[in-house]
Amino acid sequence: MTALSVNVNKIAVLRNSRGGTEPSVLNAAYTCLLAGANGITVHPRPDQRHIKPEDVFELATLCQQHSVEYNIEGNPFAPARGSYPGLMSLIEQTRPSQATLVPDGDGQLTSDHGFNLQTDAEKLIPYIQQLKQWGVRVSIFMDAGTPDLELAKQIGVDRIEIYTGPFAEQCEAGNATQAIALCAQTALQAQTLGIGVNAGHDLSQDNLGLFLSQVPNVLEVSIGHALIGEALYDGLEVTVANYLKLCHR
């Protein structure tokens, strides 16, 4: 069975657009968990465009209370800035189930590529070692077709998260054959090396079933943008339930 982790960043975007506390990120996450979601994902950024440090702490407590996975995504290389203490500091203080390391920068509207371990492997090693000392599972964001899976194994990565943006784009264009084959190949190669496989980015009810039917043994999908958008029409509980049906097939 594939676990569903709901990314609640978009709730924070809506809240921040007006200021104040509504809609509540914490209440939205709680509703997702009541509907059966297996975990919560957040991606705090130094510019705090959506999730803020206080959200990270509140959601950590919620996930601990409900004994579900908590996944914190972000760029370990981004330094502390203003009231943003840095990704590693947030992880040290909250000890999530999983840290997903992503090579994003301030200029990116959203994550749009995986790590190039030919250039980043050595820099990642101390972060990975520290996370493991804290008892946090380590996943890194990687492109389908990456040639760097052996390197990922060498530096101690527990899982990879396959960047599924190109797959979603090809699905929308009407022919995802090439993209889905590349994702499946990458998953199999990673699993052969003993690396677990997660997936995320632009997955939706329209394409998730196809993805999971063709890519073997995906442990977790992290879904936010499409899920929150669909929930505007059907409600969070119904939408989470729909995704869980796809994950459980």
Side-chain angles (χ1 to χ4, degrees), residues 4-5 29 32-34 36-40 59-71 95-98:
L4 171 67
S5 186
C32 292
L33 296 183
L34 288 181
N38 308 109
I40 298 297
L59 291 167
T61 299
L62 177 71
C63 289
Q64 290 163 5
Q65 289 172 340
H66 289 266
S67 300
V68 297
E69 294 253 326
Y70 190 32
N71 175 42
R95 305 297 172 97
S97 316
Q98 177 174 269

Side-chain angles (χ1 to χ4, degrees), residues 71 73 98 100-103 111-115 139-146 149 157 159-168 178-191 195-203 208 211-212 214-223:
N71 175 42
E73 300 180 344
Q98 177 174 269
T100 300
L101 307 183
V102 182
S111 305
D112 59 14
H113 65 279
F115 275 105
S139 177
I140 64 171
F141 206 54
M142 300 196 78
D143 296 316
T146 175
L149 292 173
V157 167
R159 295 186 185 182
I160 62 167
E161 179 174 325
I162 298 176
Y163 169 50
T164 51
F167 159 74
Q178 182 178 359
I180 196 73
L182 202 58
C183 290
Q185 174 188 331
T186 301
L188 285 168
Q189 289 174 344
Q191 291 155 356
I195 300 172
V197 174
N198 298 338
H201 205 87
D202 289 339
L203 293 173
L208 180 60
F211 183 84
L212 294 179
Q214 299 298 313
V215 181
N217 302 314
V218 176
L219 297 172
E220 175 188 282
V221 289
S222 173
I223 304 177

Side-chain angles (χ1 to χ4, degrees), residues 45-103:
R45 293 173 179 262
D47 60 12
Q48 298 186 55
R49 69 181 78 165
H50 36 60
I51 290 295
K52 297 182 180 295
E54 53 266 34
D55 297 320
V56 176
F57 294 110
E58 290 177 353
L59 291 167
T61 299
L62 177 71
C63 289
Q64 290 163 5
Q65 289 172 340
H66 289 266
S67 300
V68 297
E69 294 253 326
Y70 190 32
N71 175 42
I72 300 180
E73 300 180 344
N75 187 343
F77 305 142
R81 183 193 307 170
S83 60
Y84 175 76
L87 180 72
M88 295 298 285
S89 176
L90 288 171
I91 291 172
E92 180 182 17
Q93 295 178 74
T94 58
R95 305 297 172 97
S97 316
Q98 177 174 269
T100 300
L101 307 183
V102 182

Side-chain angles (χ1 to χ4, degrees), residues 8 23 39 73 118 123 128 143 161 214 216 224 244 248:
V8 292
E73 300 180 344
Q118 301 297 321
K123 292 186 289 184
I128 292 171
D143 296 316
E161 179 174 325
Q214 299 298 313
L244 287 170
H248 294 173

Side-chain angles (χ1 to χ4, degrees), residues 154-177:
Q154 290 172 23
I155 64 176
V157 167
D158 299 303
R159 295 186 185 182
I160 62 167
E161 179 174 325
I162 298 176
Y163 169 50
T164 51
F167 159 74
E169 289 178 6
Q170 287 192 22
C171 268
E172 191 170 3
N175 184 3
T177 302

